[in-house]
Amino acid sequence: LGVLLEELNLSVACRLPGGGALIPREATARAALLHLPLCLALAGACLGRGVPDADAAVGEADLAGRLRGLSAAALTELNAALRAGELRDARLLCPAGDTKFLPWNCGAELAGVATVESALRRAWPDLDLSAACWGC
């Protein structure tokens, strides 16, 4: 987007419910689940906007920007956090195919997204993303 990295003001808040792990113990799996939150933070920095405070995100993105399904361990931990009300009043952006495995009556809005671009549209619905060159 023509922004130099040294000009970015980037902040990523990683909040784990109850002080516990929301993600599997394997380091590579942990890092993969931060792809979507990092993509949102980087896009927000480039756009000069913060990610909405009510948004929470989890997911692994491939190089084409498609989100992969969560592992069974991650789904188990996420289910436990949702049922405990630890994400109450949040909008959870997660892989679209995984929302059917999550409780809908948990006080959080489950927003299934298939791609990073669809997550960007959810986070900032007023932006015209058609002008951006995401795949260049």
Side-chain angles (χ1 to χ4, degrees), residues 3-135:
V3 177
L4 296 175
L5 290 180
E6 63 262 12
E7 295 174 1
L8 294 180
N9 179 4
L10 179 63
S11 173
V12 179
C14 296
R15 293 168 284 193
L16 299 178
L22 174 62
I23 45 187
R25 291 178 178 27
E26 302 85 20
T28 55
R30 263 187 242 150
L33 293 178
L34 294 177
H35 289 180
L36 183 56
L38 287 172
C39 288
L40 291 171
L42 284 169
C46 290
L47 296 167
R49 293 182 173 209
V51 177
D53 287 339
D55 282 357
V58 63
E60 177 184 3
D62 66 17
L63 293 176
R66 294 179 301 260
L67 296 184
R68 296 182 176 136
L70 300 176
S71 68
L75 280 170
T76 299
E77 293 290 332
L78 190 53
N79 258 297
L82 287 166
R83 291 184 192 287
E86 294 173 359
L87 295 172
R88 184 168 304 285
D89 299 325
R91 176 173 58 178
L92 177 64
L93 302 174
C94 65
D98 292 327
T99 58
K100 63 186 171 209
F101 303 115
L102 300 173
W104 284 90
N105 58 348
C106 59
E109 176 191 345
L110 301 180
V113 290
T115 63
V116 171
E117 185 176 346
S118 60
L120 294 173
R121 291 181 190 283
R122 286 287 189 123
W124 300 287
D126 60 317
L127 289 178
D128 178 14
L129 296 176
S130 62
C133 182
W134 301 109

